């Protein structure tokens, strides 16, 4: 039976596909893929060329790997619509109730949530409305770090930054803080990290048809447990909100439409019989999970890599300090509105996103057969654009492994943007499926990094150089948590007045 399956799937492949490394029967190229998938793909591309195709498992669709800006543009610009679909795995399907937004196929449901998120939830007006939440959270972190500094205690910045981004997004989505002396906070953070980890791993059952029923790696058990824990957490929050809405409705009928978070926006759609899209409770849970996963870990990872690079590059840190001292001074704390006047801080964030894109691979799926660069790419093929590899390619970047923000201030590079127009730098993706949270992420990153630089000196145990190893998953955090000893800079602005 397997022989038939193998031959029939191969027989269907009359397409002229890009070149491919040697493969093995049944597993195809799976043996080339290690836990850090983006690095394995980078190594394959270095050896076999910037455009290759792989077969990951038996009978699976072709996976096209693209590793240069020009090729990324060839695939994603003229063919944006065709590649606006995503990979769907057993874990993604189960954890997102088969009803999420980030992995939804391009279609009416995706378009509806995209519009809701870009015009309302993450729109400029709403970002303005939540400025006080972001300010409060950043100041709270500075206050906490101040106490640690005075006591000469260490701080796990990986944990603190994730708490902060969780708090910002959960207040924008559900008007609740994830931090505090409650178990829900730890539970939410733990779920997010587990979800990004399992979404980014290769489950053999997704690729080898006869493994579908056997849980060889214990994957099924893990993703079922994650969904169960998430469901308990979200069900409680939704029930509480429904109760609140009933009370609110009784009190102020007709005063709707003001000050809504994402949960309210979605419950409005759920309850509206005339809504253009019918959604279920599972859609709500899945969408909230999507934004949680997509919007908290990613921003926290950018912040922790940036701080780690600054610690390892004292000259860059000093230059950033000089900029902040000149532009903002020490009479007040830096604010979001200072960002346009801090070009070096902006360059630091770009440089961090170049070397450490939190999502290292743009993963898309094609809907129709198309020809790109003379190759036929069949419908249903997976496309992996390795933005991690593009950011480290010496053909496009001088001394790519050096953390040098000045490269973004030089003529010719100063216009490189991160919002999907420069194919050399795509940390937020490009086109229809690009990140809807880019404006929020950039605002948070600029002000927070500037504030950490403005207020503190950063030291690590025994003055060591930080280890910059990565951990695998859909996102790429540091392999080891970033633990630092902050100390207050002389004349730090007083934040409690
Ligand atoms: C530094 C922070 C962030 C980075 C680097 C980042 C990066 C990305 C990337 C690379 C994608 C895939 C784009 C593509 O396929 O072309 C994406 C998608 C997405 N991001 Fe972000 N993101 C960040 C922050 C956020 C925030 C703050 C939110 C929301 C609160 C968010 C929500 C999403 C969602 C919902 C998607 C899926 C969009 C879709 O499939 O249509 N992200 N992000």
């Amino acid at each position: 039976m397997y022989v038939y399956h193998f031959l029939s799937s191969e027989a269907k492949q009359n397409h002229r596909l890009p070149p491919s490394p040697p493969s093995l029967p049944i597993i195809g190229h799976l043996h080339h893929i290690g836990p850090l998938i983006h690095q394995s793909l980078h190594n394959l591309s270095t050896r076999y060329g910037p455009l290759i195709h792989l077969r990951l498992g038996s009978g699976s669709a072709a996976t096209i790997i693209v590793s240069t800006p020009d090729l990324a543009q060839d695939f994603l610009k003229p063919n944006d619509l065709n590649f606006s679909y995503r990979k769907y795995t057993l874990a993604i399907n189960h954890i997102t109730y088969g009803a999420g937004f980030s992995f939804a196929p391009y279609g009416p449901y995706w378009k509806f949530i995209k519009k809701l998120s870009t015009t309302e939830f993450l729109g400029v007006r709403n970002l303005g409305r939540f400025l006080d939440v972001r300010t409060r959270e950043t100041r709270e972190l500075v206050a906490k770090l101040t106490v640690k500094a005075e006591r000469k205690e260490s701080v796990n910045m990986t944990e603190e930054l994730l708490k902060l981004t969780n708090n910002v997004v959960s207040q924008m989505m559900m008007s609740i803080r994830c931090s505090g002396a409650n178990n829900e906070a730890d539970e939410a953070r733990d779920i997010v990290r587990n979800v990004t980890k399992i979404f980014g791993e290769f489950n053999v059952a997704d690729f080898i048809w006869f493994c579908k029923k056997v849980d060889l790696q214990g994957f099924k058990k893990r993703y079922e447990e994650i969904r169960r824990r998430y469901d308990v957490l979200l069900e409680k929050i939704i029930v509480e909100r429904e109760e609140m809405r009933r009370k609110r409705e009784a009190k102020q009928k007709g005063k709707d439409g003001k000050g809504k978070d994402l949960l309210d926006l979605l419950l409005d759609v759920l309850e509206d019989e005339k809504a253009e899209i019918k959604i279920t409770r599972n859609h709500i849970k899945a969408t909230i999970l999507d934004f949680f996963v997509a919007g908290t870990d990613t921003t926290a990872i950018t912040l922790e890599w940036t701080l780690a690079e600054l610690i390892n590059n004292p000259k860059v840190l000093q230059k950033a300090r000089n900029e902040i001292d000149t532009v903002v001074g020490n009479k007040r704390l830096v604010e979001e509105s200072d960002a346009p006047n801090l070009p070096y801080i902006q360059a630091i964030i770009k440089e961090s996103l170049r070397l450490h894109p939190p999502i290292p691979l743009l993963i898309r799926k094609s809907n129709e057969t198309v020809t790109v660069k003379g190759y036929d790419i069949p419908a249903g093929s997976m496309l992996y654009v390795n933005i991690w590899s593009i950011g480290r390619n010496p053909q496009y970047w001088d001394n790519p492994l050096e953390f040098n923000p000045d490269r973004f201030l030089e003529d010719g590079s100063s216009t490189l943007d991160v919002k999907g127009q420069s194919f050399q730098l795509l940390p937020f993706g490009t086109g229809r499926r690009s990140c809807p949270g880019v404006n929020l992420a950039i605002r948070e990153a600029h002000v927070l990094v500037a504030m950490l630089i403005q207020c503190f000196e950063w030291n690590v145990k025994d003055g060591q150089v930080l280890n910059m190893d990565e951990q695998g998953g859909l996102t790429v955090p540091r392999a080891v948590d970033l633990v630092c000893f902050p100390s207050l800079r002389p004349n730090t602005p007083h934040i409690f007045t």
Side-chain angles (χ1 to χ4, degrees), residues 211-450:
C211 292
K212 283 228 153 50
K213 291 214 158 58
V214 232
D215 190 18
L216 282 178
Q217 301 149 283
F219 244 74
K220 189 162 181 276
K221 207 166 147 227
R222 270 172 65 206
Y223 64 67
E224 283 180 351
E225 177 60 9
I226 295 173
R227 207 309 275 270
R228 191 198 56 74
R229 284 169 56 197
Y230 175 72
D231 201 77
V232 170
L233 191 71
L234 246 274
E235 191 55 41
K236 182 168 173 278
I237 292 169
I238 294 179
V239 167
E240 281 168 9
R241 175 60 61 87
E242 284 173 327
E243 180 61 21
M244 217 167 85
R245 280 165 68 93
R246 271 193 290 278
K247 284 186 191 152
R248 193 169 59 195
E249 207 174 289
K251 256 200 215 157
Q252 43 163 217
K253 246 189 155 89
K255 282 195 187 166
D256 248 356
K258 278 187 200 154
K260 286 184 176 168
D261 57 17
L262 183 64
L263 181 53
D264 261 333
L265 291 169
L266 291 170
L267 284 169
D268 283 351
V269 181
L270 179 79
E271 290 163 9
D272 181 0
E273 285 171 9
K274 296 194 196 108
E276 67 179 273
I277 285 282
K278 292 273 162 276
I279 64 168
T280 62
R281 222 175 163 76
N282 281 355
H283 283 105
I284 297 185
K285 288 180 189 165
T287 301
I288 288 190
L289 179 68
D290 270 342
F291 280 99
F292 234 133
V293 170
T296 58
D297 213 21
T298 43
T299 313
I301 287 172
T302 296
L303 294 166
E304 67 168 331
W305 280 119
T306 308
L307 185 56
E309 286 289 4
L310 290 171
I311 291 170
N312 277 357
N313 293 277
K315 283 190 186 147
V316 175
L317 182 56
Q318 188 52 48
K319 195 166 170 181
R321 238 178 233 147
N322 294 345
E323 181 179 77
I324 295 168
D325 290 352
T326 310
V327 175
V328 183
N330 62 8
K331 300 278 179 284
R332 64 175 177 87
L333 273 175
V334 64
E335 291 165 10
E336 275 189 15
S337 55
D338 291 312
N341 304 320
L342 298 170
Y344 196 62
I345 298 293
Q346 292 177 37
I348 285 176
I349 300 297
K350 282 186 186 172
E351 181 67 339
S352 175
L353 288 165
R354 173 187 72 83
L355 267 178
H356 309 287
I359 300 183
L361 299 164
L362 302 182
I363 304 182
R364 307 284 191 84
K365 192 173 168 184
S366 72
N367 190 41
E368 291 173 1
T369 301
V370 280
T371 305
V372 185
K373 287 294 220 193
Y375 295 109
D376 297 330
I377 311 299
S381 299
M382 296 304 306
L383 172 68
Y384 284 45
V385 177
N386 195 340
I387 53 175
W388 185 91
S389 178
I390 290 176
R392 289 165 185 247
N393 189 328
Q395 280 179 357
Y396 300 89
W397 305 98
D398 290 338
N399 300 321
L401 299 185
E402 196 183 308
F403 188 79
N404 173 21
D406 282 289
R407 70 174 83 240
F408 287 105
L409 301 174
E410 288 160 7
D411 282 351
S413 299
S414 58
T415 51
L416 281 179
D417 100 322
V418 292
K419 294 190 180 176
Q421 303 306 314
S422 314
F423 284 80
Q424 217 170 321
L425 190 67
L426 291 176
F428 295 95
T430 182
R432 283 178 179 74
R433 291 304 296 236
S434 65
C435 176
V438 56
N439 290 330
L440 171 62
I442 292 290
R443 283 184 197 210
E444 282 188 282
H446 284 157
V447 73
L448 206 68
V449 166

Side-chain angles (χ1 to χ4, degrees), residues 123-153:
V124 179
R125 202 160 49 108
N126 220 27
L127 290 188
R129 257 190 55 215
F130 283 96
L131 172 64
D132 61 331
V133 167
R134 297 193 292 281
T135 307
R136 213 172 37 242
E137 291 300 329
T138 36
R139 287 177 180 227
E140 193 155 301
L141 176 62
V142 172
K144 184 168 187 179
L145 294 174
T146 303
V147 173
K148 290 279 186 185
E150 283 165 355
R151 291 184 187 155
K152 298 192 172 21
E153 285 174 5

Side-chain angles (χ1 to χ4, degrees), residues 151-215:
R151 291 184 187 155
K152 298 192 172 21
E153 285 174 5
S154 68
V155 187
N156 185 328
M157 286 304 284
T158 303
E159 282 177 10
E160 294 303 330
L161 294 168
L162 193 55
K163 272 184 209 165
L164 183 142
T165 56
N166 262 322
N167 279 337
V168 169
V169 172
S170 62
Q171 284 176 87
M172 290 181 68
M173 288 200 306
M174 302 178 285
S175 304
I176 56 167
R177 258 182 120 231
C178 265
S179 278
N182 62 34
N183 290 337
E184 280 180 10
D186 294 337
E187 180 68 352
R189 272 195 305 280
D190 195 52
I191 289 172
V192 169
R193 274 271 151 109
N194 275 302
V195 171
T196 49
K197 194 160 174 6
I198 202 160
F199 280 5
E201 289 172 31
F202 268 8
N203 175 7
V204 171
D206 279 318
F207 297 98
I208 302 186
W209 62 277
F210 61 75
C211 292
K212 283 228 153 50
K213 291 214 158 58
V214 232
D215 190 18

